[in-house]
Amino acid sequence: MSSTASVGIPREVKRDERRVALTPDAARELTRHGLKVWVERGAGKEAGLADEEFAAAGAVLVDAAAAWSANVVVKVKEPQPEEYRFLREDLVLFTYLHLAGYPAVAQALMAAKVTAIAYETVQMGDGSLPLLSPMSEIAGRLAAQVGASLLEKPHGGPGILIGGCTGVQPARVVVLGAGTVGWSAARIAAGMDAEVFLLDRSSARLRQLEAERRGRMVSLMSSQTTIERLAPTADLLIGAVLTPGGRAPTLVDEQLVQRMTPGSVIVDVAIDQGGCIATSRETVHTDPVRTVHGVGHYAVGNMPGAVPRTATQALVSVTLPYIQAIAGSGLRQAVTGKPELLGGVNTADGSVCHPTVARALGVEQRHPMACLG
């Protein structure tokens, strides 16, 4: 790819999504490396980033069609139906995709033969997910914060202060999964003096976190029996499990939700992968809570979109080196220098290239290098 390659930054159109895929500082870095940066007008407004800042950084302000015409299009969330018309065979798309949870998006990408790289499946040799971790941390922190608010009576809860007070029992918070989301949620809840039970299937992970455990936090090996015992006792139940590229496993069935105390709250952070609570359905920031069997379900699919300024800065801080590599030297060369990118390739040449995504969608997988020709 030549030094005149272009990077397009469309405005996000998913409902209540306020993040943007690039900051003016990042745009300046890309233009310094000889790349053209085309930013759709108004793309950064909701994140507190004005068009004038992007223009001053060397970006060109354009309309949606021009932003999508770039060699590499960088977004925050998966393409929406109104954006499918912009998909094309020679496009490299770099964004959060979660195709296991959004099979219609996968079909659109395959039909258009888009080379689509998912932030959430870029995976290092040690198993870490560098482009997912910042948003997972934010979502976990928000899960505890939102859950505490929903326990208050004016927000439909039973009127429980999450940390209790002197002589009064605090709320019980059960967190399913001790990854970045779960640990972040557990830390914040424990910091608010809640009684926290953190469950995970990995004894090594729980042992790793033991030194940092604080407050009224208990770590437990997860099993169906443990979940069935603890979930009905939770004032706040947080679903925080992750299968990179795949659908989240259902850990809490409808019968278990029925046993929870009326007024209790579920925050299903795994909803963008289908959810880990059987009764969860994706909601939006402007209408975030559904009540099922007397239990409030918060299942917003883009939780970090509630804090777009923080989330945008956190996201771009980790994606910028990859954007520069992909746009500057082309994807095949970028994969050579950053082999973790290969795991990020979800679709190319009309095929699904990630094994977990392929299994979740029930389609055949092609090796990503074969897809890239």
Side-chain angles (χ1 to χ4, degrees), residues 43 124 128 162 168 215 218 225 244 246-247 253 260 277 280 332 365:
M124 306 298 288
S128 61
I162 192 170
V168 179
V218 176
T225 300
R247 280 189 65 87
D253 61 23
M260 295 179 68
I277 312 295
S280 293
R332 284 187 66 91
Q365 180 234 349

Side-chain angles (χ1 to χ4, degrees), residues 171-242:
R172 171 170 288 191
V173 179
V174 176
V175 182
L176 305 178
T180 302
V181 171
W183 176 238
S184 298
R187 285 181 60 202
I188 296 300
M192 290 190 283
D193 286 338
E195 178 189 32
V196 180
F197 290 88
L198 177 63
L199 279 61
D200 199 271
R201 294 187 303 172
S202 169
S203 59
R205 175 60 175 168
L206 294 177
R207 193 173 295 111
Q208 176 190 2
L209 298 176
E210 186 66 22
E212 300 180 54
R213 188 164 55 87
R214 64 187 68 182
R216 302 185 182 95
M217 188 191 300
V218 176
S219 59
L220 294 171
M221 286 295 295
S222 182
S223 68
Q224 195 58 41
T225 300
T226 305
I227 293 171
E228 289 174 359
R229 184 176 73 250
L230 284 177
T233 72
D235 298 299
L236 171 59
L237 177 64
I238 297 175
V241 296
L242 172 69

